[in-house]
Coordinates of all heavy atoms in Angstrom, one line a residue:
T1 N -3.9 -200.9 -58.5 CA -3.1 -201.0 -57.3 C -1.8 -200.3 -57.4 O -1.4 -199.6 -56.5 CB -2.8 -202.5 -57.0 OG1 -4.0 -203.2 -57.0 CG2 -2.1 -202.7 -55.7
T2 N -1.1 -200.4 -58.6 CA 0.2 -199.8 -58.7 C 0.1 -198.3 -58.6 O 0.9 -197.6 -58.0 CB 0.9 -200.2 -60.1 OG1 1.1 -201.6 -60.1 CG2 2.2 -199.5 -60.2
R3 N -0.9 -197.7 -59.3 CA -1.1 -196.3 -59.2 C -1.3 -195.8 -57.8 O -0.9 -194.7 -57.4 CB -2.2 -195.9 -60.2 CG -1.8 -195.9 -61.6 CD -2.9 -195.2 -62.5 NE -2.6 -195.1 -63.9 CZ -3.3 -194.5 -64.8 NH1 -4.4 -193.8 -64.4 NH2 -2.9 -194.5 -66.0
V4 N -2.1 -196.5 -57.1 CA -2.5 -196.1 -55.7 C -1.2 -196.1 -54.9 O -0.9 -195.1 -54.1 CB -3.5 -197.1 -55.1 CG1 -3.7 -196.8 -53.6 CG2 -4.8 -196.9 -55.8
L5 N -0.4 -197.2 -54.9 CA 0.7 -197.3 -54.0 C 1.8 -196.3 -54.4 O 2.5 -195.6 -53.6 CB 1.3 -198.7 -54.1 CG 0.4 -199.7 -53.4 CD1 0.9 -201.1 -53.6 CD2 0.3 -199.5 -51.9
T6 N 2.1 -196.1 -55.7 CA 3.1 -195.2 -56.1 C 2.7 -193.8 -55.8 O 3.5 -192.9 -55.5 CB 3.5 -195.3 -57.6 OG1 2.2 -195.3 -58.4 CG2 4.2 -196.7 -57.9
A7 N 1.4 -193.5 -56.0 CA 0.9 -192.1 -55.6 C 1.1 -191.8 -54.2 O 1.5 -190.7 -53.8 CB -0.6 -192.0 -56.0
D8 N 0.8 -192.8 -53.3 CA 1.1 -192.6 -51.9 C 2.6 -192.2 -51.6 O 2.9 -191.3 -50.8 CB 0.7 -193.9 -51.1 CG -0.7 -193.9 -50.7 OD1 -1.4 -192.9 -50.9 OD2 -1.2 -195.0 -50.2
G9 N 3.5 -192.9 -52.3 CA 4.9 -192.7 -52.1 C 5.3 -191.3 -52.6 O 6.0 -190.5 -52.0
V10 N 4.8 -190.9 -53.8 CA 5.1 -189.6 -54.4 C 4.6 -188.5 -53.6 O 5.3 -187.5 -53.3 CB 4.6 -189.5 -55.9 CG1 4.8 -188.1 -56.4 CG2 5.4 -190.5 -56.8
I11 N 3.3 -188.6 -53.2 CA 2.7 -187.5 -52.4 C 3.3 -187.4 -51.0 O 3.5 -186.3 -50.5 CB 1.2 -187.8 -52.3 CG1 0.5 -187.7 -53.7 CG2 0.5 -186.9 -51.3 CD1 -0.9 -188.2 -53.7
S12 N 3.7 -188.5 -50.4 CA 4.4 -188.5 -49.1 C 5.7 -187.8 -49.3 O 6.1 -187.0 -48.4 CB 4.6 -189.9 -48.6 OG 3.3 -190.5 -48.3
L13 N 6.4 -188.1 -50.4 CA 7.7 -187.4 -50.7 C 7.6 -185.9 -50.8 O 8.4 -185.2 -50.3 CB 8.3 -188.1 -51.9 CG 9.8 -187.6 -52.3 CD1 10.7 -188.0 -51.1 CD2 10.2 -188.2 -53.6
I14 N 6.5 -185.5 -51.5 CA 6.3 -184.0 -51.7 C 6.1 -183.4 -50.3 O 6.7 -182.3 -50.0 CB 5.1 -183.8 -52.7 CG1 5.5 -184.2 -54.1 CG2 4.7 -182.3 -52.7 CD1 4.3 -184.2 -55.0
G15 N 5.2 -184.0 -49.5 CA 4.9 -183.5 -48.2 C 6.2 -183.4 -47.3 O 6.4 -182.4 -46.6
C16 N 7.0 -184.5 -47.4 CA 8.2 -184.5 -46.7 C 9.2 -183.4 -47.1 O 9.8 -182.8 -46.2 CB 8.9 -185.9 -46.9 SG 10.6 -186.0 -46.4
C17 N 9.3 -183.2 -48.4 CA 10.2 -182.1 -48.8 C 9.8 -180.7 -48.4 O 10.6 -179.8 -48.5 CB 10.3 -182.2 -50.4 SG 11.2 -183.7 -50.9
L18 N 8.5 -180.6 -48.0 CA 8.0 -179.3 -47.6 C 8.0 -179.2 -46.0 O 7.7 -178.1 -45.5 CB 6.6 -179.1 -48.1 CG 6.5 -178.9 -49.6 CD1 5.0 -178.8 -50.1 CD2 7.2 -177.7 -50.1
G19 N 8.3 -180.3 -45.4 CA 8.4 -180.2 -43.9 C 7.4 -181.1 -43.1 O 7.4 -180.9 -41.9
N20 N 6.7 -182.0 -43.8 CA 5.7 -182.8 -43.1 C 6.3 -184.2 -42.7 O 6.7 -184.9 -43.6 CB 4.5 -183.0 -44.0 CG 3.6 -184.1 -43.4 OD1 3.1 -184.0 -42.3 ND2 3.4 -185.2 -44.2
P21 N 6.4 -184.5 -41.4 CA 7.0 -185.7 -41.0 C 6.0 -186.9 -40.8 O 6.3 -187.8 -40.0 CB 7.6 -185.4 -39.6 CG 6.6 -184.4 -39.0 CD 6.1 -183.6 -40.2
F22 N 4.9 -186.9 -41.5 CA 3.9 -187.9 -41.4 C 3.6 -188.5 -42.8 O 3.4 -187.7 -43.8 CB 2.6 -187.4 -40.8 CG 2.9 -186.8 -39.4 CD1 2.9 -185.4 -39.2 CD2 3.1 -187.6 -38.3 CE1 3.1 -184.9 -38.0 CE2 3.3 -187.1 -37.1 CZ 3.3 -185.7 -36.9
I23 N 3.5 -189.8 -42.9 CA 3.3 -190.5 -44.2 C 1.9 -190.4 -44.6 O 1.0 -190.3 -43.8 CB 3.8 -192.0 -44.1 CG1 4.1 -192.6 -45.5 CG2 2.7 -192.8 -43.4 CD1 5.5 -192.3 -45.9
N24 N 1.7 -190.3 -46.0 CA 0.3 -190.4 -46.5 C -0.1 -191.8 -46.8 O 0.8 -192.6 -47.1 CB 0.3 -189.6 -47.8 CG -1.1 -189.4 -48.4 OD1 -2.0 -188.7 -47.8 ND2 -1.4 -190.2 -49.4
A25 N -1.4 -192.1 -46.6 CA -1.8 -193.5 -46.9 C -3.3 -193.5 -47.3 O -4.1 -192.6 -46.9 CB -1.7 -194.3 -45.6
V26 N -3.6 -194.5 -48.1 CA -5.0 -194.8 -48.4 C -5.7 -195.3 -47.1 O -5.1 -196.2 -46.4 CB -5.2 -195.8 -49.5 CG1 -6.6 -196.2 -49.7 CG2 -4.7 -195.2 -50.8
Y27 N -6.8 -194.7 -46.7 CA -7.4 -195.0 -45.5 C -8.3 -196.3 -45.6 O -8.9 -196.6 -46.6 CB -8.3 -193.9 -45.0 CG -7.6 -192.8 -44.2 CD1 -8.3 -191.7 -43.7 CD2 -6.2 -192.9 -43.9 CE1 -7.6 -190.7 -43.0 CE2 -5.6 -192.0 -43.2 CZ -6.3 -190.9 -42.7 OH -5.7 -189.9 -42.0
I28 N -8.5 -196.9 -44.4 CA -9.6 -197.8 -44.2 C -10.9 -197.0 -44.3 O -11.0 -195.9 -44.0 CB -9.5 -198.4 -42.8 CG1 -8.4 -199.5 -42.7 CG2 -10.8 -199.0 -42.3 CD1 -8.2 -200.0 -41.3
G29 N -11.9 -197.6 -44.9 CA -13.2 -197.0 -44.8 C -14.0 -196.7 -46.1 O -15.1 -196.2 -46.1
H30 N -13.4 -197.1 -47.2 CA -14.0 -196.8 -48.5 C -15.5 -197.3 -48.5 O -16.4 -196.6 -48.9 CB -13.2 -197.4 -49.7 CG -13.9 -197.4 -51.0 ND1 -14.8 -198.4 -51.3 CD2 -13.9 -196.5 -52.0 CE1 -15.3 -198.1 -52.5 NE2 -14.8 -197.0 -53.0

């Protein structure tokens, strides 16, 4: 769980720093 959530935060931060205004998330549907 910790790796999944922190990864979402880190990846969202990278996207944000490049200009993406949308958050990354683990999806429903596995």
Side-chain angles (χ1 to χ4, degrees):
T1 307
T2 299
R3 284 193 178 186
V4 169
L5 291 171
T6 52
D8 274 352
V10 171
I11 292 169
S12 296
L13 184 62
I14 293 171
C16 165
C17 291
L18 294 175
N20 168 56
F22 302 104
I23 201 85
N24 185 72
V26 172
Y27 273 180
I28 285 176
H30 170 277

